[in-house]
């Protein structure tokens, strides 16, 4: 159920489950001990987890900066915004849910951290076949992605790894997607006054595939790796004269696009290109010859 900013009160926002909220922002706990969930701080860069949420109290505390509180307190710091702006940000992105209370005798430590075991060039036939099904050519995939072997909860997996600016990875395989810590945006800077913005790396790879036969423009790129990182990406984006948005066509993506357009005339919404599809890759996998011709004429 979605709530408009007019009906989303401060008390309702405070009642949102902090664990679920951080997960929606792309942050997962490093370990869980009783009711305490420990994270690498979303508010700063660190190597040892010192950000804690007590799920019984539904409160957080960052030992590195000596601050804590409820979801409102966290959101204001994380987005550097006012309460009204935070409530607008929450609008349509989360469901209202009371915090889950765990039994006091739950003393098991759960390690959720993904450990990268091997980082090699992308060669697995099953992973390359998955990308080819998404219409991403092998040579483009190999240019931007790695093949990762990793462990999670004592099990071993492998997947396509796309590195972010803090050396964490977005990870995909044909069956599921995950990420390794720390989670962050990915930027490619080529000295251009124009930047293209994508939610995920599959959309970015799709764009590179779509333009592989066109003249190289030397554009800059930012891949958010989670639309919730939009605010964090703004300093990089707004250092450019033109910001072209290729965000998803779902409610959240359209909401962020609309907000961006209200910030500055630098922002341009490019999602009309795939207006009848969920995202750029979905369109790319299904578009016809006339649409392709229109795209090439527009981007030459």
């Amino acid at each position: 159920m979605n709530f408009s900013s007019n009906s989303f009160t401060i008390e309702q926002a405070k009642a949102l489950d902090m664990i679920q909220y951080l997960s929606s922002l792309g942050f997962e706990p490093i370990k869980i001990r009783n009711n305490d969930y420990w994270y690498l701080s979303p508010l700063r860069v660190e190597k040892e987890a010192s950000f804690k949420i007590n799920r019984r109290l539904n409160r957080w505390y960052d030992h590195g900066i000596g601050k804590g509180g409820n979801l409102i307190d966290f959101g204001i710091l994380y987005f550097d915004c006012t309460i009204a702006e935070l409530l607008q940000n929450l609008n349509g992105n989360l469901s209202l849910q009371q915090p889950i209370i765990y039994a006091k005798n739950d003393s098991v430590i759960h390690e959720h951290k993904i450990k990268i075991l091997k980082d090699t060039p992308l060669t697995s036939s099953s992973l390359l076949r998955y990308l080819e099904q998404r219409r991403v050519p092998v040579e483009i995939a190999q240019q931007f992605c790695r093949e990762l072997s990793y462990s999670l909860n004592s099990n071993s997996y492998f997947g396509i790894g796309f590195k972010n600016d803090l050396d964490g990875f977005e990870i995909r395989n044909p069956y599921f997607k995950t990420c390794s810590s720390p989670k962050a945006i990915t930027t490619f800077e080529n000295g251009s006054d124009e930047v293209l913005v994508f939610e995920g790396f599959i959309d970015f790879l799709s764009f590179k595939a779509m333009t592989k036969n066109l003249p190289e423009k030397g554009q800059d790129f930012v891949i958010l790796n989670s639309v919730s990182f939009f605010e964090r990406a703004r300093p990089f984006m707004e250092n450019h004269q033109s910001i072209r948005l290729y965000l998803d066509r779902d409610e959240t993506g359209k909401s962020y696009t609309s907000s961006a357009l209200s910030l500055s005339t630098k922002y341009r919404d490019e999602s009309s290109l795939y207006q009848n599809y969920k995202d750029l890759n979905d369109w790319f996998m299904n578009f016809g010859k006339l649409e392709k011709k229109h795209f090439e004429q527009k981007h030459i």
Side-chain angles (χ1 to χ4, degrees), residues 89-100:
N89 178 269
L90 290 172
N91 175 36
N93 296 339
L94 289 174
S95 300
L96 289 181
Q97 177 175 319
Q98 293 297 326
I100 300 172

Side-chain angles (χ1 to χ4, degrees), residues 140 143-144 162-165 184-212 214-225 233-240 242-246 270 280 295 299:
I140 290 178
Q143 181 181 354
F144 295 101
F162 182 76
K163 185 175 284 190
N164 64 42
D165 288 356
I185 65 174
T186 303
T187 57
F188 295 98
E189 192 165 7
N190 298 305
S192 175
D193 61 2
E194 178 180 66
V195 60
L196 279 61
V197 184
F198 303 91
E199 281 197 37
F201 76 89
I202 297 295
D203 287 335
F204 165 68
L205 296 179
S206 298
F207 181 86
K208 297 299 289 187
M210 291 156 58
T211 58
K212 69 176 183 177
L214 301 179
E216 176 62 52
K217 290 187 176 182
Q219 296 149 316
D220 289 356
F221 298 94
V222 57
I223 299 85
L224 300 175
N225 295 320
R234 278 184 62 186
F236 179 83
M237 293 189 294
E238 293 180 2
N239 195 37
H240 296 78
S242 175
I243 307 167
R244 293 166 54 188
L245 302 175
Y246 291 86
E270 301 287 354
L280 183 63
F295 173 83
H299 288 81

Side-chain angles (χ1 to χ4, degrees), residues 194-200 203-204 207 219-224 227 229-231 233-234 236-238 240-249 252-275 278-280 295 298-299:
E194 178 180 66
V195 60
L196 279 61
V197 184
F198 303 91
E199 281 197 37
D203 287 335
F204 165 68
F207 181 86
Q219 296 149 316
D220 289 356
F221 298 94
V222 57
I223 299 85
L224 300 175
V227 71
F229 280 7
F230 189 90
E231 287 297 319
R234 278 184 62 186
F236 179 83
M237 293 189 294
E238 293 180 2
H240 296 78
Q241 294 301 312
S242 175
I243 307 167
R244 293 166 54 188
L245 302 175
Y246 291 86
L247 304 187
D248 291 358
R249 294 288 298 179
T252 304
K254 289 190 285 189
S255 176
Y256 272 91
T257 297
S258 177
S259 296
L261 295 177
S262 70
L263 293 172
S264 169
T265 56
K266 288 184 176 183
Y267 290 95
R268 292 165 48 191
D269 179 16
E270 301 287 354
S271 69
S272 60
L273 174 69
Y274 45 96
Q275 60 183 336
K278 64 180 182 179
D279 57 33
L280 183 63
F295 173 83
K298 183 178 178 181
H299 288 81

Side-chain angles (χ1 to χ4, degrees), residues 23-24 77 118 122 139 169 194 202 204 221 226 228 238 257:
S23 180
S24 76
L77 283 176
K118 187 183 287 187
L122 186 57
E139 65 272 16
F169 283 96
E194 178 180 66
I202 297 295
F204 165 68
F221 298 94
S226 171
S228 60
E238 293 180 2
T257 297

